[in-house]
Amino acid sequence: MAGPPIPPQLPLAEPPILQPGIGPRPWPIPFRTIRGGCWLVNYEPTGVRLVAYDGTIRVEHNAGGTTASGDLYQRPVAIVPRPPPFPPSTVMLPPPNPTGGIPIQPRRSYRYYLRIIEIPELLFGNSFSLKFEMWRFYPTTNTWATAAEAVLTATMSWAAAPAGYPGDYLIGTTENAAGTITGSLKMGWLSQSYRKVTVEIDTVPGSERPTDNGAGETWATVFSKIGFSGNVVLSDTNVPNPIDDSFSDAEMHAAMLAKRQPTNLDTEWRYHVLAVHHIESTERGIMYDWQATDSNKVPREGLGIASHWIADDTPLWGNVRNTRWGASKPAYFRTAVHELGHAFGLEHNYVDTGYMCPSPDIASRPGGPFPNQVKWAFAIDDLKRLRHWSDVFIRPGGLEFTAGYNTTLPITPDDLGVEVPNVELEVKPVLAEVPLGAPVRFELKLTSTNESPIQVPDSISLRSPYVSGTVSSAGVPPRTFRPLVCCTDSGSMTTINHKDAMEKNSVTSSITLLRGAEGALFPTSGLCEIKVTLNWQLEGSESRAIVIGSATVFITAAVTASHGSAAYKMLSTPDAHVLLVLGGDCKELKDGKEAIDQALCCQDLKPHYAAVKAKCLATKFQAKPDLGEAQKLVNSPDVILSDGERAKLQKLGLKCRKGA
């Protein structure tokens, strides 16, 4: 689905009309406008402890009216230890400090996009109504709700600004359509700019730094026209050049990670420009940091431009024909800004000859010779995207390139989750490579680096109500998993100590994944990322703790007809998953039994289903368990077992060799 729609441009206000015969009032009537630029926002829902949101609202006044939008991030909490026997207490941390200017908040804390649909152009008096839609974002799956979660109206009034705010300050309450108060809203003006970015430029020896077009257009003017506060860092000029004088996309990404100044994208929007002689995958420039090239899975951090590409000796290229690209300041600088636009999430735009139109298309337009046709600005619709898109579409490390144009359908998470500091969930695959159609096994380990003991779930298996997760892979929508059944005794809590302590210092378990709510979790070959989420109630609070761990596995393709047939049968048979979870010999699960038996006849899948079949044979529902046949399967030298499966089979009376 498309992401949240950009707010509408609200029309200019009509001038006030005085009724005939009524002269001016004897007292002054305050005339106000809502100041354009960036406002720091704090929103606290009513009746929910330890949940608040901070972010920004961007107000743009232009010739056609006013457009406004915003983003909210969940405010972090901290767990404060107390002396025994008292449990740790949970406290909310303070909101962003306005003296720091436009705030940059952690990507994982992003929760809402605000689409403002009613804001006055001008007003008389000290208060006004602000109406907005709240579009929910789910960070565990990087997806949006299909519709606005709420439509709220805030009655806002001017108030004295707290220390640190340089301008206007507004306070108010929010109500839903039924008139019920839902929360409090505070807004303090910070800056004339809408957003804040940093661009770092590195080069190989001999490549020019793209700093201006030679005729007054600089990074400062580019950012000023967008409405961004921009900082340009001219960094290294000695990035090593490959032997063949040409960088692959992967080599540029590696060079960025190696040479870029220390960066934390949760506190800074920093984009990296690398100027090199030649680029293997393209001629003039590329935003390489996405999909397979994005080795650290942090999209849209970096872009590359080629200084030594020679423009073709044809009339198309006008004044730069047969010229080295870096020797033409206008062409070279325009390419750098164009690729930065891609890093901002923008696609090509052919509506005019602005920055997002490709160079060859500009060169073919009237008004030449090239580069005279270049419009040194972003197109109007791109400006609206840059100013009013959600943060996650634009910020480095946010959503994938072009996500602002097309976003995956949502999967519902918990609303009151807060990340627990110093608690880690390790997710370790039993095998790094698994054949298509096989279950994928993981070992889980929950540890703490808190100096004081902390309460956590006693069980983190898929029979625990605290466990859920997602599987993501290229070309397939995210899939979710959660317990098929929950044991009544798996909802208890336990206390763990620091991971280096001699006392109990961890909780461990195993999970085996095959199917989820949307069907097969691993339906195609390729690299898959698995995120496991633990979620439990914080003591004395309505909030819920969240700890997330992740891992990757590679699903190998079927190489034989028997493997392909068995994998298809397994992936298309939901009953097989029930048998994998429960075991036994339920007659109503005939299709599942057939799928598992077919997998056992396939040499590629048999090692992965031997333990599953053994558990079925050893826990028959209606007949005596066949421990002999189950033991034969477990005795196979290549049987694949998780630690949890090994313990279960031993409990059923089977002998499992160590390391099987």
Side-chain angles (χ1 to χ4, degrees):
M1 61 165 281
I6 287 178
Q9 179 169 277
L10 302 172
L12 290 169
E14 295 292 333
I17 300 175
L18 294 177
Q19 296 181 15
I22 299 179
R25 297 184 184 275
W27 62 84
I29 302 175
F31 166 76
R32 295 182 185 268
T33 60
I34 300 166
R35 196 169 181 180
C38 180
W39 295 68
L40 175 59
V41 179
N42 313 121
Y43 175 63
E44 295 192 17
T46 298
V48 184
R49 289 188 65 246
L50 297 176
V51 175
Y53 303 94
D54 305 302
T56 58
I57 283 181
R58 300 167 293 276
V59 179
E60 176 193 0
H61 299 299
N62 52 51
T66 298
T67 305
S69 60
D71 298 277
L72 293 180
Y73 295 75
Q74 187 158 351
R75 192 179 302 171
V77 299
I79 297 177
V80 180
R82 294 191 295 176
F86 303 102
S89 62
T90 306
V91 298
M92 187 178 295
L93 297 181
N97 190 329
T99 60
I102 298 173
I104 306 296
Q105 299 185 80
R107 290 162 289 164
R108 65 182 181 277
S109 299
Y110 187 83
R111 293 296 184 271
Y112 288 103
Y113 175 72
L114 303 182
R115 182 175 184 260
I116 295 175
I117 55 178
E118 185 178 305
I119 185 172
E121 175 72 21
L122 55 86
L123 57 112
F124 297 90
N126 196 53
S127 62
F128 63 93
S129 291
L130 179 72
K131 189 173 183 179
F132 55 92
E133 299 171 350
M134 296 182 70
W135 288 76
R136 181 77 184 201
F137 180 75
Y138 304 137
T140 55
T141 54
N142 285 341
T143 53
W144 292 97
T146 54
E149 181 178 280
V151 180
L152 303 180
T153 300
T155 302
M156 306 300 295
S157 300
W158 269 265
Y165 284 94
D168 292 358
Y169 192 76
L170 301 164
I171 59 174
T173 57
T174 58
E175 297 181 354
N176 60 21
T180 303
I181 293 178
T182 61
S184 63
L185 186 67
K186 300 174 183 178
M187 297 172 52
W189 187 87
L190 292 180
S191 171
Q192 293 180 344
S193 300
Y194 304 114
R195 288 181 156 121
K196 180 170 64 177
V197 301
T198 296
V199 173
E200 179 182 345
I201 300 176
D202 286 340
T203 73
V204 302
S207 286
E208 294 87 350
R209 287 169 165 166
T211 57
D212 64 275
N213 73 345
E217 192 72 19
T218 66
W219 288 108
T221 61
V222 169
F223 292 136
S224 176
K225 292 175 185 178
I226 302 173
F228 282 11
S229 171
N231 176 40
V232 177
V233 178
L234 300 179
S235 192
D236 295 330
T237 57
N238 60 347
V239 177
N241 206 24
I243 295 176
D244 62 359
D245 202 36
S246 183
F247 275 78
S248 68
D249 293 354
E251 286 172 328
M252 285 190 289
H253 192 272
M256 175 193 72
L257 296 179
K259 301 295 289 187
R260 180 180 59 183
Q261 295 180 5
T263 299
N264 181 354
L265 296 183
D266 287 329
T267 59
E268 178 184 33
W269 289 18
R270 180 178 285 250
Y271 302 85
H272 184 261
V273 179
L274 179 61
V276 303
H277 291 179
H278 296 283
I279 300 172
E280 289 181 6
S281 60
T282 190
E283 296 173 340
R284 295 167 296 278
I286 189 169
M287 194 285 290
Y288 56 78
D289 193 16
W290 70 307
Q291 293 187 342
T293 306
D294 185 16
S295 63
N296 63 344
K297 303 303 177 187
V298 181
R300 298 183 291 98
E301 295 178 276
L303 56 116
I305 57 173
S307 62
H308 283 44
W309 179 71
I310 306 296
D312 294 340
D313 190 10
T314 63
L316 173 72
W317 291 111
N319 293 338
V320 301
R321 64 186 296 179
N322 202 30
T323 299
R324 187 175 62 81
W325 205 241
S328 170
K329 275 202 164 191
Y332 191 54
F333 181 69
R334 198 210 75 86
T335 296
V337 180
H338 175 92
E339 298 305 333
L340 180 64
H342 287 320
F344 287 155
L346 296 176
E347 294 181 336
H348 286 153
N349 191 335
Y350 301 91
V351 69
D352 59 18
T353 57
Y355 284 125
M356 296 318 295
C357 188
S359 293
D361 277 87
I362 295 174
S364 67
R365 304 279 182 100
F370 182 82
N372 292 348
Q373 306 100 313
V374 173
K375 174 186 173 183
W376 298 99
F378 286 93
I380 295 298
D381 53 348
D382 283 338
L383 283 176
K384 192 170 184 179
R385 293 182 181 105
L386 293 173
R387 294 167 181 170
H388 298 292
W389 254 353
S390 159
D391 280 358
V392 295
F393 294 148
I394 298 174
R395 68 182 298 173
L399 295 182
E400 287 286 353
F401 174 51
T402 74
Y405 301 86
N406 185 20
T407 303
T408 311
L409 287 170
I411 299 168
T412 304
D414 192 283
D415 283 342
L416 301 178
V418 292
E419 291 195 0
V420 182
N422 304 322
V423 177
E424 300 174 356
L425 177 64
E426 180 185 7
V427 181
K428 183 178 180 180
V430 173
L431 294 176
E433 293 187 1
V434 180
L436 183 68
V440 183
R441 297 167 166 89
F442 297 88
E443 304 295 348
L444 307 183
K445 185 175 184 179
L446 184 66
T447 59
S448 169
T449 56
N450 283 296
E451 293 300 325
S452 300
I454 185 171
Q455 277 204 324
V456 298
D458 186 53
S459 171
I460 57 174
S461 74
L462 272 177
R463 291 176 178 254
S464 162
Y466 305 122
V467 180
S468 62
T470 60
V471 178
S472 303
S473 55
V476 184
R479 287 83 67 200
T480 61
F481 60 89
R482 58 183 61 250
L484 184 64
V485 294
C486 289
C487 295
T488 56
D489 62 351
S490 62
S492 59
M493 305 295 289
T494 189
T495 299
I496 60 173
N497 299 278
H498 190 283
K499 64 180 182 180
D500 296 328
M502 297 297 294
E503 300 86 1
K504 181 174 182 179
N505 57 16
S506 66
V507 176
T508 60
S509 189
S510 306
I511 61 173
T512 301
L513 301 179
L514 184 65
R515 295 184 67 84
E518 296 78 24
L521 291 172
F522 307 93
T524 60
S525 60
L527 188 66
C528 296
E529 181 182 34
I530 297 86
K531 290 184 179 180
V532 180
T533 301
L534 301 182
N535 181 322
W536 70 91
Q537 189 86 32
L538 286 171
E539 185 174 353
S541 168
E542 296 177 45
S543 299
R544 299 184 67 84
I546 286 182
V547 179
I548 300 173
S550 64
T552 58
V553 294
F554 190 84
I555 307 300
T556 59
V559 294
T560 65
S562 63
H563 180 189
S565 176
Y568 176 80
K569 177 72 172 178
M570 185 59 63
L571 296 175
S572 60
T573 307
D575 287 353
H577 180 236
V578 180
L579 288 173
L580 184 149
V581 174
L582 300 178
D585 190 26
C586 181
K587 293 180 179 179
E588 285 72 25
L589 300 178
K590 178 183 176 183
D591 290 343
K593 292 169 61 180
E594 291 177 353
I596 292 174
D597 288 340
Q598 185 173 346
L600 290 169
C601 293
C602 169
Q603 293 304 309
D604 296 291
L605 294 180
K606 182 178 179 180
H608 301 268
Y609 282 98
V612 176
K613 183 65 174 179
K615 187 169 72 168
C616 291
L617 292 171
T619 55
K620 291 206 174 189
F621 292 145
Q622 299 165 342
K624 183 179 179 180
D626 192 344
L627 296 180
E629 286 299 315
Q631 188 64 61
K632 289 179 182 179
L633 289 167
V634 174
N635 288 342
S636 174
D638 55 357
V639 63
I640 307 299
L641 287 172
S642 67
D643 290 345
E645 286 175 308
R646 184 178 296 105
K648 174 67 174 177
L649 292 173
Q650 288 172 342
K651 189 175 180 179
L652 292 172
L654 302 178
K655 296 180 180 180
C656 301
R657 61 184 177 85
K658 187 71 174 177

